[in-house]
Amino acid sequence: MKQAEIKITVELDDHNVPENILWESTDAENKEKVPVKSMMLALWDHNYKNSMRIDLWTKDMPVDEMKRFFYETLQTMGDSFLKATGETLIIEDLRDYCAHFADKMGINTKG
């Protein structure tokens, strides 16, 4: 069986606010730690039937990039949900909401 390891390193300031977030994977072509400004990790606990989440962003994450990050995360969650369930009708609704979200947040989705 193939196995890969994903490692996330979070560097905190004196008030436990993330200053740097780095990620690396044993399965990636790039073997170096990659800096990121924000991350969302969701895990499903089958035993307790609930989600566990870690949402982090660095203190210098620009608000306009956070808006774009949320927009793209919503879009890719829709892709994942469609792939996992085949539920096409609700995905159309989610795409409509994503377009509404982008419009309200002033996110340019054309380029």
Side-chain angles (χ1 to χ4, degrees):
M1 176 187 343
K2 184 177 177 179
Q3 184 175 356
E5 183 175 314
I6 298 170
K7 182 177 176 184
I8 298 168
T9 303
V10 181
E11 297 173 355
L12 305 170
D13 68 9
D14 293 337
H15 303 287
N16 292 327
V17 176
E19 286 192 342
N20 295 299
I21 302 170
L22 306 157
W23 81 277
E24 59 189 299
S25 171
T26 58
D27 204 27
E29 289 182 25
N30 178 7
K31 299 300 179 192
E32 297 178 17
K33 293 180 179 180
V34 178
V36 297
K37 295 287 181 190
S38 184
M39 63 167 274
M40 294 180 186
L41 175 65
L43 304 165
W44 179 251
D45 185 325
H46 174 72
N47 292 321
Y48 290 101
K49 305 287 188 245
N50 67 354
S51 297
M52 298 177 291
R53 297 187 48 86
I54 300 173
D55 299 325
L56 296 174
W57 55 94
T58 61
K59 54 182 155 185
D60 63 344
M61 172 74 171
V63 172
D64 62 324
E65 290 183 21
M66 182 61 89
K67 291 175 183 179
R68 180 72 186 211
F69 179 54
F70 266 79
Y71 167 76
E72 291 186 10
T73 300
L74 289 169
Q75 289 280 30
T76 57
M77 286 175 65
D79 296 341
S80 297
F81 187 75
L82 178 61
K83 186 176 181 180
T85 67
E87 295 283 345
T88 56
L89 295 179
I90 196 68
I91 294 305
E92 292 173 14
D93 290 345
L94 181 58
R95 297 285 180 248
D96 289 344
Y97 175 75
C98 288
H100 173 74
F101 180 88
D103 182 55
K104 287 288 188 179
M105 293 292 106
I107 298 168
N108 179 3
T109 60
K110 304 289 188 248

